[in-house]
Amino acid sequence: MLKTRVKTACVFVPVCALIVLFSGAPYVLNIAVALLNIGAAWELFSVANARGNYALLVPALIAAAALPFLPLPYYPAGALIVLLAALGFFFMDARALVRHEPASFGAVRALGESLMASYFFCALIALRRMENGLYDLMLMIVCCVASEVAGYFIGRAWGRHKLAPDLSPHKTIEGSVGGLAASCALALLGTAIYAGAMELSVHYGRLMLYGVCGSVISQTGDLAMSAVKRIAGVKDFSNLLPGHGGLLDRFDGQLFAAPFTAAFLAFIGGIIA
């Protein structure tokens, strides 16, 4: 499994890096987000066994493809409200799983969550349009990736205490703490290098606060989407990325971290200047 994950990452990571690197060019990020939205919508309807429900699937796919290209303002406050509502909804999922209560995942819910995913992923575009957009986008990605990768390896090596066994049986408290520490460390290192090269000043208090909060929200997103999979009765959202699962398996942390980051920078303030 690990070998398959590494092979897929060797192809997938450079593609994502190129998209981020050229994200300032016209429509590059818009197209990438549209494809991500479409894939997420398709996966949600697939796990709901609702791909044949064209009355709901088609509007979901149209919205997924169109939202990244519409000149709609992205309000951080609105995104934060929707994010908190989504987290509350997924908390109810988690409670149902812990209590072994019956829960269902159907076409209507797939439509709602696909619209939510499309809206949240559009925060990637909003981040890139900020004053220090390239840095903001890279910071969010680094924190999410560091949390996941470090959490995976530290959990495998030293994990002893389960974090949320009813949602994600393999995640451990040790892995979670290790992911948080790695998020802060790489955010600090990457920012120092970037700011030094660009001759920018850094607000280190905000940076460390974001490193902690960004890791927590990324891990929460991971658990939230794990709850969806448990309720739907599937291991992965798809097999698009061998060893990793589907797009929502790989971008579950970024799904929640992107709108959170936009809200953080809007309300707390920028990290570099």
Side-chain angles (χ1 to χ4, degrees), residues 135 138 185-200 202 204 207 272:
Y135 165 80
M138 290 192 300
L186 285 185
L188 180 60
L189 178 61
T191 298
I193 294 173
Y194 184 88
M198 303 297 292
E199 298 183 349
L200 299 169
V202 181
Y204 286 102
L207 176 61
I272 62 174

Side-chain angles (χ1 to χ4, degrees), residues 35-124:
L35 293 174
L36 184 58
N37 287 350
I38 292 169
W42 183 260
E43 288 178 354
L44 286 165
F45 273 84
S46 295
V47 300
N49 294 315
R51 284 182 294 181
N53 192 329
Y54 298 112
L56 297 182
L57 174 62
V58 173
L61 293 176
I62 292 174
L67 276 177
F69 297 96
L70 296 178
L72 300 175
Y74 197 91
Y75 296 108
L80 185 59
I81 291 172
V82 176
L83 177 61
L84 291 174
L87 290 174
F89 188 76
F90 289 121
F91 173 78
M92 291 190 290
D93 283 344
R95 187 176 65 173
L97 288 169
V98 170
R99 295 182 177 182
H100 304 288
E101 296 174 350
S104 62
F105 190 87
V108 174
R109 178 168 174 176
L111 173 63
E113 292 194 8
S114 68
L115 294 175
M116 177 205 74
S118 295
Y119 178 63
F120 283 178
F121 279 135
C122 282
L124 297 168

Side-chain angles (χ1 to χ4, degrees), residues 177-220:
V177 173
L180 191 151
S183 172
C184 292
L186 285 185
L188 180 60
L189 178 61
T191 298
I193 294 173
Y194 184 88
M198 303 297 292
E199 298 183 349
L200 299 169
S201 61
V202 181
H203 196 297
Y204 286 102
R206 292 175 186 171
L207 176 61
M208 288 297 95
L209 177 61
Y210 177 79
V212 172
C213 294
S215 178
V216 170
I217 198 69
S218 175
Q219 294 185 44
T220 302

Side-chain angles (χ1 to χ4, degrees), residues 3 6 18 20 30 32 48 51 95 108-109 128 130 133 138 144 153 161 169 191 194 201 213 235-236 259 270:
K3 185 181 291 186
V6 172
L18 285 173
V20 172
N30 303 73
R51 284 182 294 181
R95 187 176 65 173
V108 174
R109 178 168 174 176
R128 186 61 181 85
M130 291 183 172
M138 290 192 300
C144 290
F153 285 105
H161 303 87
T191 298
Y194 184 88
S201 61
C213 294
K235 181 180 181 296
D236 297 314

Side-chain angles (χ1 to χ4, degrees), residues 154-193:
I154 292 174
R156 279 172 58 96
W158 296 292
R160 297 293 182 271
H161 303 87
K162 298 297 184 182
L163 178 65
D166 292 297
L167 274 65
S168 187
H170 300 296
K171 285 185 170 53
T172 63
I173 295 175
E174 292 84 356
S176 176
V177 173
L180 191 151
S183 172
C184 292
L186 285 185
L188 180 60
L189 178 61
T191 298
I193 294 173

